[in-house]
Amino acid sequence: KIEFLISQICEYIYPHILLYEIVLATYRKVTGKHLKGGIFILNKRIYEIYNTDNVYSNLLKEISNPPKKLYCIGNISLLNKNSIAIIGSRNSSEYGRKITKKITKELVENNIVIVSGMAKGIDSVAHETCIKNGGKTIAVLGSGLKHIY
């Protein structure tokens, strides 16, 4: 099956994940459809979610220029749960880290999903505190894989 072949190709090219989109585009060209439910790369399901899909974030749909698609790994139902973004400096102060931990813990206790970037500093503190306290978190790489900062 072509899905198995693509899965095998993606496992091989994982270190060069930029090729992932080329593989998906080829699949769409060959079959005339996109992979609903995603594909697996190294035992991780990668979902390709379009802004027209029901699981696409309702909050993202409200911004002036939402991304046409998202690539997601993990629990995609979190995209439409009550959430709040916590962002801050990469070079955070001790006070900034302390307050981020306090606020994040309180939000998690109230079943709020924490959304943040994947940068060091406040973003990392928010994710780590969320996970440590049993919460759910969404890590966003907003710049794409070509511009990791």
Side-chain angles (χ1 to χ4, degrees):
K1 285 187 119 180
I2 194 164
E3 288 91 349
F4 176 77
L5 177 61
I6 288 176
S7 179
Q8 297 296 71
I9 291 169
C10 286
E11 284 186 29
Y12 177 75
I13 65 169
Y14 184 71
H16 310 283
I17 195 70
L18 293 175
L19 297 176
Y20 173 70
E21 190 162 340
I22 295 168
V23 171
L24 290 176
T26 303
Y27 177 84
R28 283 191 298 274
K29 188 174 183 179
V30 170
T31 65
K33 57 187 177 182
H34 70 274
L35 282 170
K36 288 284 189 182
I39 63 175
F40 288 90
I41 296 180
L42 298 179
N43 296 322
K44 301 273 187 197
R45 182 181 294 256
I46 308 231
Y47 297 94
E48 182 179 41
I49 301 173
Y50 288 83
N51 59 5
T52 55
D53 293 341
N54 291 336
V55 294
Y56 190 90
S57 169
N58 291 324
L59 289 174
L60 275 179
K61 288 179 184 177
E62 293 181 19
I63 65 174
S64 61
N65 190 16
K68 292 180 181 167
K69 62 183 166 182
L70 305 172
Y71 293 106
C72 302
I73 298 173
N75 183 353
I76 60 175
S77 72
L78 295 178
L79 295 173
N80 283 302
K81 302 284 186 193
N82 288 332
S83 61
I84 192 163
I86 298 177
I87 57 171
S89 174
R90 288 184 185 88
N91 299 314
S92 55
S93 66
E94 183 58 39
Y95 176 76
R97 290 186 295 275
K98 179 181 175 182
I99 292 301
T100 300
K101 289 176 184 178
K102 180 182 184 320
I103 292 170
T104 302
K105 185 175 186 285
E106 291 175 11
L107 290 167
V108 167
E109 289 169 354
N110 287 284
N111 296 314
I112 304 295
V113 174
I114 303 301
V115 180
S116 195
M118 296 182 357
K120 66 179 184 175
I122 295 300
D123 294 18
S124 295
V125 171
H127 290 301
E128 290 168 4
T129 304
C130 179
I131 292 167
K132 180 180 175 183
N133 288 281
K136 304 292 183 190
T137 183
I138 298 173
V140 178
L141 178 60
S143 62
L145 294 169
K146 291 181 182 177
H147 307 286
I148 296 175
Y149 55 94

